[in-house]
Amino acid sequence: MTEHSDLTPQRLRHVLGHFASGLTVITAATERGPAGFTCQSFSSLSLDPALVTFSPARSSSTWPLLRHAGRFTVNILPAEHHHLAVQFARSGTDKFAGVEFSASPLGNPVLDQALAWVDCELHQEYDGGDHTIVLGAVRALGARDGGEPLLFFKGGYFEGVQSRAGLLESVA
């Protein structure tokens, strides 16, 4: 393994891209209607109290709308719906065009295609450099039976068993 002290954003993205993550769409009911964005930096944080965390970019135009709402839902995406990750990552478009959803217990959009969802109230925010570290207090959650997660690895989407098998072979 080669060691480098090059800490440019490009090098960081390349090296840290070797860590596979799931993909989520964070949504909320806002004063302007439903809003949401794609986020790969989601994780469970604490079981007691029940907390989750994610980190939107400071440049996000959607996160301020969700912050103002004070509550949000994390929609965990299934393998077969990577188009939702692409759709909710775009700026300046109707991200909910053609997307079916229902209201969560807190009134946030739960995407009908979500593998699982976590309904939260904003608990805390911290400075995270060019991102904001958000903690959400979990208030409700659910998951559907079956389904495979959508993974993001080295800048690409991996769907289903075949892609994950290829992913595991490339790691080994």
Side-chain angles (χ1 to χ4, degrees):
M1 187 175 295
T2 306
E3 225 177 276
H4 294 277
S5 59
D6 176 12
L7 298 179
T8 63
Q10 296 80 12
R11 179 85 175 134
L12 283 165
R13 179 174 284 140
H14 170 75
V15 172
L16 298 177
H18 286 72
F19 180 71
S21 65
L23 283 159
T24 67
V25 171
I26 314 290
T27 60
T30 73
E31 293 173 353
R32 297 184 190 174
F37 64 94
T38 300
C39 184
Q40 77 179 76
S41 62
F42 167 76
S43 179
S44 63
L45 180 63
S46 171
L47 297 177
D48 186 18
L51 298 173
V52 297
T53 184
F54 66 92
S55 299
R58 288 208 184 272
S59 61
S60 171
S61 59
T62 306
W63 170 240
L65 299 172
L66 277 65
R67 175 193 299 120
H68 183 73
R71 64 209 180 315
F72 52 84
T73 296
V74 179
N75 293 271
I76 298 170
L77 296 181
E80 67 273 16
H81 291 290
H82 85 271
H83 67 280
L84 291 173
V86 173
Q87 184 167 334
F88 279 87
R90 291 188 183 122
S91 293
T93 64
D94 179 2
K95 296 179 183 183
F96 283 86
V99 176
E100 299 292 324
F101 62 92
S102 57
S104 73
L106 293 178
N108 299 311
V110 174
L111 306 182
D112 287 357
Q113 304 303 326
L115 185 61
W117 57 273
V118 184
D119 215 14
C120 302
E121 291 179 338
L122 180 58
H123 180 71
Q124 197 80 25
E125 282 186 87
Y126 298 97
D127 179 17
D130 60 3
H131 283 67
T132 299
I133 301 165
V134 177
L135 275 61
V138 177
R139 299 298 183 229
L141 66 168
R144 64 178 163 119
D145 291 332
E148 306 261 343
L150 177 60
L151 299 177
F152 194 72
F153 179 70
K154 291 186 176 180
Y157 300 104
F158 288 85
E159 305 172 9
V161 175
Q162 288 183 347
S163 292
R164 283 204 329 275
L167 171 65
L168 293 176
E169 288 172 11
S170 71
V171 172

